[in-house]
Amino acid sequence: MDYHRNYRPCPTFFVEEDYGLEIRMRQERQAKQEHDKQMARERQYVMADELSNLTSEQLRDDVLSHMLEMDNQTLPDVESIDIQTEIQWFMRPYLLDFLIEAHTAFQLLPSTLFLAINLLDRYCSKRVVYKRHYQLVGCAALLIAAKYNDKKDRVPTIKELKSMCCSLYDDDMFTQMEWHVLQTLGWSIGHPTVDAFLQHAVLDDTYDPEVEHMALYILEIALFHRDFVAKLSSELARAALALSRCILNRPQPRHTHWASQYDSMTLVALSQQLHQPSTVVARKYASAHYSRVSKVMEHFLNRQASLATYARCTPPVETPVESKPYNGEIGLATPQKSQQLTAIPHGYLTPPITPDNEALVHAHTQMANHDMNRGMPTVHHGCSPSPGPSVEMQYINSEAYQQQHEAMYMAQQAALQQFPMAPTHMGMSQTYQGGM
């Protein structure tokens, strides 16, 4: 009896094996349940995307019209910023560099940065901002934009913002400025940013990350300049997209597309501000995450500058004029001599070059002396001997030579009229008869 009372089954190998098998089966069931949950979640995401795309296609025009209306209602007033007593436009790049670095450090969405700048400019349009509070207003705008757009775990804390400002402001100052910005703007935070219009413009196109990153790079450069503060986000997005496609040699959309209706003046104004971007922005878009578009932009601008320099330094190439036989038409071609000295229906020939022949000169001299001995006027046969024309001597057109020929003919007629009773000579009869 004591034996049975004190008996306890000792663990054996078979018992341990059964216990391990039960643990493995439990783990397998848990893994299968997690897999089923994940598959169900994925199916829900797919169905939600399909419904969202279907709804967006049906309501795309309504959504766009609402965005355009909000874009007009949430624009800052540049003239009001101009009359600020302490803050000036040259301070803007320093604050934007700080906000862009903070935005990158917290890994916030691109729309958060553009919304924060919009809130900053709208607040400066309605309130007098002191120079010592300018950075505090920017931090409050970034905090509001992050709470409005990003996930909760990405929103920066007040301690982090205070640390980035080197403890220049107390914790309560961040809270008070955040409340004051919201109250000044009437708690109206929603603003369709340029990246929202950019996504709408490329919705029907094939995904091209380099084009989108280049457009975002151009739009962030535009934040630094006063000329684009009061520009509509829709105009800036379309112009930046067209400019990025031009830089990357991508085809432009068809004319019926919404993105093709960009303002050419805005595009030119954006292109004029690409030469000296902010160092912070250029370093940000030089990373592989943004397709290194700042390097691509730099190479493009250098190539354009070299082409412009080459065009200024290289003289224009003159196309050689092909020498053609002269057919009597009046033009810029130099008349050429024909092979046969026959009657020409139109125009005049270039006078033949008289060779500088001593025998011919001697013959003309003897004839002249013989005529003088007989008391007759000296009339030369043909043209007088003359040296060949120099290389510089060229006839521009046949009109000049025609006028010269008519003047010579009138001079011969005047000389002949002085001797009306001149006797006929063997060698001169044909000349006189031809002249009269």
Side-chain angles (χ1 to χ4, degrees):
M1 296 298 290
D2 294 339
Y3 175 78
H4 292 288
R5 185 182 301 112
N6 295 330
Y7 172 76
R8 294 178 180 177
C10 60
T12 60
F13 175 77
F14 300 100
V15 174
E16 290 181 357
E17 184 178 5
D18 294 339
Y19 182 73
L21 179 62
E22 183 180 356
I23 294 177
R24 286 196 300 271
M25 292 176 62
R26 186 183 306 168
Q27 291 177 351
E28 290 178 358
R29 285 196 301 269
Q30 292 178 353
K32 187 176 183 302
Q33 291 176 358
E34 291 294 332
H35 180 265
D36 294 340
K37 290 181 180 180
Q38 184 68 23
M39 293 299 296
R41 191 179 298 112
E42 292 293 335
R43 284 194 296 269
Q44 291 177 357
Y45 288 155
V46 171
M47 293 174 61
D49 291 339
E50 291 178 355
L51 292 175
S52 177
N53 294 331
L54 181 60
T55 306
S56 64
E57 290 179 359
Q58 294 176 353
L59 303 177
R60 182 179 302 179
D61 295 337
D62 296 336
V63 171
L64 179 60
S65 62
H66 180 66
M67 291 173 61
L68 293 174
E69 183 180 357
M70 291 181 61
D71 193 12
N72 284 279
Q73 294 176 356
T74 55
L75 278 180
D77 187 6
V78 180
E79 295 180 357
S80 299
I81 302 177
D82 290 337
I83 62 176
Q84 288 281 346
T85 56
E86 290 197 11
I87 62 173
Q88 303 295 329
W89 286 107
F90 71 87
M91 304 177 186
R92 182 181 180 85
Y94 299 99
L95 179 60
L96 292 188
D97 285 340
F98 169 77
L99 292 178
I100 291 173
E101 288 182 340
H103 175 269
T104 306
F106 294 119
Q107 298 180 357
L108 303 176
L109 295 175
S111 57
T112 303
L113 175 63
F114 294 108
L115 179 60
I117 304 304
N118 176 261
L119 297 175
L120 171 66
D121 293 334
R122 287 164 60 191
Y123 179 82
C124 294
S125 302
K126 297 182 178 181
R127 295 289 183 179
V128 177
V129 181
Y130 294 106
K131 182 169 57 177
R132 63 180 180 273
H133 294 157
Y134 196 30
Q135 187 179 17
L136 180 62
V137 176
C139 291
L142 182 64
L143 182 60
I144 296 171
K147 290 180 179 179
Y148 186 82
N149 273 334
D150 280 271
K151 296 181 179 180
K152 186 176 180 180
D153 56 344
R154 296 290 180 89
V155 177
T157 62
I158 294 180
K159 291 184 178 180
E160 292 172 338
L161 293 175
K162 180 181 178 180
S163 176
M164 296 191 69
C165 295
C166 300
S167 300
L168 185 63
Y169 311 104
D170 297 333
D171 296 349
D172 296 338
M173 297 181 69
F174 287 95
T175 306
Q176 293 176 4
M177 183 56 70
E178 180 185 2
W179 177 84
H180 196 261
V181 170
L182 291 172
Q183 187 182 24
T184 301
L185 301 181
W187 298 83
S188 177
I189 305 173
H191 168 73
T193 55
V194 288
D195 66 300
F197 285 105
L198 183 63
Q199 294 298 324
H200 180 84
V202 300
L203 194 60
D204 296 331
D205 300 334
T206 305
Y207 178 64
D208 192 346
E210 193 173 11
V211 171
E212 295 186 19
H213 293 158
M214 180 65 74
L216 288 175
Y217 179 46
I218 296 172
L219 291 170
E220 287 199 23
I221 293 175
L223 292 174
F224 288 77
H225 302 280
R226 176 188 178 277
D227 298 336
F228 306 108
V229 171
K231 281 283 187 181
L232 292 172
S233 300
S234 58
E235 293 183 4
L236 287 174
R238 286 181 290 187
L241 182 60
L243 183 57
S244 64
R245 284 171 172 167
C246 179
I247 294 173
L248 298 173
N249 197 19
R250 300 293 199 275
Q252 296 292 340
R254 58 185 184 275
H255 296 289
T256 57
H257 199 274
W258 178 80
S260 63
Q261 303 170 6
Y262 60 87
D263 184 17
S264 59
M265 298 301 296
T266 305
L267 188 146
V268 172
L270 286 174
S271 65
Q272 293 174 351
Q273 306 298 338
L274 303 178
H275 300 279
Q276 293 180 348
S278 170
T279 307
V280 175
V281 179
R283 184 174 64 249
K284 172 184 175 181
Y285 282 90
S287 62
H289 180 70
Y290 290 103
S291 305
R292 297 184 175 89
V293 291
S294 61
K295 297 296 182 181
V296 177
M297 174 78 74
E298 184 179 357
H299 294 331
F300 173 79
L301 295 176
N302 292 335
R303 185 169 64 253
Q304 294 295 320
S306 62
L307 291 176
T309 304
Y310 179 77
R312 288 196 301 267
C313 297
T314 305
V317 179
E318 297 182 359
T319 305
V321 180
E322 183 180 359
S323 178
K324 297 181 180 180
Y326 181 64
N327 296 325
E329 66 274 6
I330 298 176
L332 297 179
T334 303
Q336 303 294 329
K337 294 187 293 184
S338 62
Q339 299 297 329
Q340 298 178 357
L341 298 177
T342 57
I344 299 177
H346 302 286
Y348 295 90
L349 289 174
T350 301
I353 301 174
T354 305
D356 193 4
N357 196 328
E358 296 181 358
L360 186 59
V361 174
H362 181 66
H364 278 277
T365 305
Q366 289 182 353
M367 185 176 293
N369 294 333
H370 178 68
D371 293 339
M372 291 179 64
N373 293 333
R374 298 182 58 184
M376 297 173 56
T378 303
V379 181
H380 298 286
H381 296 263
C383 299
S384 59
S386 60
S390 62
V391 179
E392 298 178 355
M393 181 178 178
Q394 294 180 354
Y395 287 93
I396 304 302
N397 51 40
S398 60
E399 292 182 358
Y401 176 67
Q402 182 176 359
Q403 294 176 1
Q404 182 179 2
H405 186 275
E406 291 177 358
M408 292 174 61
Y409 177 76
M410 296 301 295
Q412 290 179 1
Q413 292 291 333
L416 292 175
Q417 289 178 3
Q418 295 179 5
F419 302 94
M421 301 300 294
T424 304
H425 189 268
M426 246 178 106
M428 299 169 61
S429 59
Q430 295 179 357
T431 305
Y432 284 142
Q433 291 173 3
M436 297 178 65

